[in-house]
Amino acid sequence: VIWMTQSPSLLSASTGDRVTITCRMSQVISNYLAWYQQKPGKAPELLIYSASTLQSGVPSRFSGSGSGTDFTLTINSLQSEDFGTYYCQQYYSFPWTFGQGTKVEIK
Amino acid sequence: QVQLVESGGGLVKPGGSLRLSCAASGFIFSDSYMSWVRQAPGKGLEWVSYISASGSTIYYADSVKGRVTISRDNAKNSLYLQMNGLRAEDTAVYYCAKCSEQTTVTFGRYSYYYYMDVWGKGTAVTVSS
């Protein structure tokens, strides 16, 4: 099983801020990592796959980086609609695993 | 547009069974790998099961292995999750997700990995006496 450590668990920031969420793997997964955003009562939505490829329709203020064991999701110029919980997920090997989630609050 | 609609959730007693369904539209279902993910109340996401396009390759999370069966009917554009021996800890919203392919070429050798790109709205399962 590949364990994932996602941090921070809670992030409070103001609109316009640059925020960063990190995900660390217990073993190398190349770039087989996705990031999802989930709003309360809604299904998750894919933001980024292949660690850094932006899903179609996702605003360009979202970006992903990393390879191997350490990955980062960055939101440049945080907007009010970016509140929610963000999850990383590895699809390198089964069982697929998710990070614990980062709740982003807008100050 | 791509749409996934789950159904079949509800209240069931411990030890009971449920069959979840996921109706797919807007894409070629028979070419698509699919997955189930669940989320317990107030908790994070947990992957449950995965099935290849033909149904020949299947994986389960250890937490459900032996109690859950994933299947699909490509003629009906439908994905299923048969759940038996339900426990209180199976209480969750269950999402079906369509998978897309990521192709990697290393030294001329192709590798295919799948990520979940479209999710349904989910169906709630409550296991309680």
Side-chain angles (χ1 to χ4, degrees), chain A residues 15-95:
Chain A
T15 54
D17 284 353
R18 181 172 188 248
V19 302
T20 298
I21 299 169
T22 63
C23 207
R24 174 163 286 177
M25 308 295 131
S26 61
Q27 65 187 74
V28 171
I29 64 163
S30 184
N31 67 341
Y32 301 111
L33 185 99
W35 290 96
Y36 301 91
Q37 177 195 61
Q38 186 179 34
K39 297 195 174 180
K42 301 293 186 182
E45 293 187 356
L46 177 66
L47 297 174
I48 286 168
Y49 64 94
S50 189
S52 60
T53 303
L54 204 63
Q55 172 70 348
S56 176
V58 174
S60 59
R61 63 180 179 273
F62 291 92
S63 64
S65 64
S67 184
T69 60
D70 294 326
F71 300 87
T72 298
L73 173 70
T74 300
I75 310 174
N76 283 301
S77 189
L78 189 72
Q79 302 298 302
S80 57
E81 61 265 30
D82 297 336
F83 75 93
T85 303
Y86 293 79
Y87 296 92
C88 55
Q89 181 244 330
Q90 66 81 18
Y91 50 96
Y92 175 71
S93 70
F94 289 95

Side-chain angles (χ1 to χ4, degrees), chain B residues 101-115:
Chain B
E101 183 180 286
Q102 176 182 334
T103 306
T104 302
V105 183
T106 306
F107 303 116
R109 188 174 175 181
Y110 286 76
S111 299
Y112 304 97
Y113 291 80
Y114 295 86
Y115 58 92

Side-chain angles (χ1 to χ4, degrees), chain B residues 52-120:
Chain B
S52 63
S54 67
S56 60
T57 301
I58 287 172
Y59 294 100
Y60 296 104
D62 284 348
S63 58
V64 301
K65 200 174 293 183
R67 302 186 298 119
V68 158
T69 302
I70 191 172
S71 63
R72 62 190 299 157
D73 186 334
N74 287 342
K76 293 184 178 180
N77 287 347
S78 293
L79 176 72
Y80 306 102
L81 191 70
Q82 176 68 43
M83 302 191 295
N84 301 322
L86 283 162
R87 306 167 180 166
E89 54 265 36
D90 296 318
T91 294
V93 173
Y94 285 74
Y95 298 100
C96 73
K98 167 185 164 295
C99 300
S100 280
E101 183 180 286
Q102 176 182 334
T103 306
T104 302
V105 183
T106 306
F107 303 116
R109 188 174 175 181
Y110 286 76
S111 299
Y112 304 97
Y113 291 80
Y114 295 86
Y115 58 92
M116 297 175 284
D117 63 339
V118 180
W119 298 53

